[in-house]
Amino acid sequence: MVEEPIRKFVEEIVKLPGIGKKTAMRLAFHILKMPAEEVKALSSAIADLKDKIRFCSSCFNITDSELCRICSDPGRDRKTICVVEEPSNILPIEQSGHYKGLYHVLMGSISPIQGIGPEDLKVRELIKRLKGGEVSEVIIATNPNVEGEATSVYLSKLIKPLGPKVSRIAVGLPVGSDLEYIDEVTMSKALDGRRDL
C-alpha cells in the first residue's frame, strides 16, 4: 500500500511511453530524495514544455515561435522537402548532417486498423506547399513498417502528378550488424535497395 500522492504520480507517469509501474515507482522515490528546488525546476521545465512549445505553421515541426528554426533558416534548400511521420523523426536526419532541405511532418501515418486515414494527417497542408511549384523533390521518410509503407505509396500517387520527383529513403541493414541476426523483411529491403559499386 502506497501513499496517495505516490499512487497518483505513478498513475500519471505510466502514461508516458516506455515507463512501466516499476520505473514509475523508482522515479517517485528518486524525486522524493531530490532537493525541493530541483523538483520545482523539473516541474517548471515540464510546464514550460507544454506551454511554450507549439507546431511550426509551415512544416509542423516543434518550435517556440511561429516558424521553426529550419523553416526560418534562409540557408536551407527550399527545393527539397523531406516528409516524416513525427517531429521526433527530424532529429536523427539532422544529426546525420547530410540533409539540408526542408521538412513536412504528417503527425502520424495511415493506419486503417487504428482508424487513421489521410484526412487525419497533414497531407492537405503538404499538397498546398507543393502547389507553389518551388519544390523539385519530395523525399518520403516514413517508418519502414506496414503503416509507413502504405503512407509512402499513398503520398507518391498524390504528389507525382504535381511535378516534383518523389523518392523514398533506403532501408536495409544497419552498419555494424551481423547478417545472421537480420530478419527477413530487413534483408528483403536491403536486397531491393542495393546499388552498383
Side-chain angles (χ1 to χ4, degrees), residues 55-138:
F55 296 109
C56 174
S57 62
S58 178
C59 75
F60 302 97
N61 186 14
I62 54 172
T63 182
D64 60 356
S65 58
E66 181 70 19
L67 290 176
C68 71
R69 292 179 188 192
I70 294 170
C71 285
S72 58
D73 181 350
R76 298 300 290 218
D77 173 11
R78 304 204 171 272
K79 294 184 181 297
T80 310
I81 292 180
C82 182
V83 179
V84 296
E85 292 180 20
E86 302 292 343
S88 60
N89 300 146
I90 292 174
L91 187 59
I93 297 170
E94 284 297 294
Q95 287 175 335
S96 77
H98 289 287
Y99 180 70
K100 302 297 179 197
L102 300 177
Y103 292 91
H104 187 84
V105 181
L106 294 172
M107 304 304 277
S109 59
I110 297 170
S111 177
I113 292 173
Q114 295 179 340
I116 301 170
E119 65 282 352
D120 301 309
L121 306 175
K122 301 295 183 186
V123 174
R124 220 174 295 111
E125 292 83 351
L126 173 62
I127 300 306
K128 185 177 177 185
R129 288 178 74 185
L130 298 177
K131 285 188 175 173
E134 191 178 327
V135 177
S136 60
E137 181 179 8
V138 175

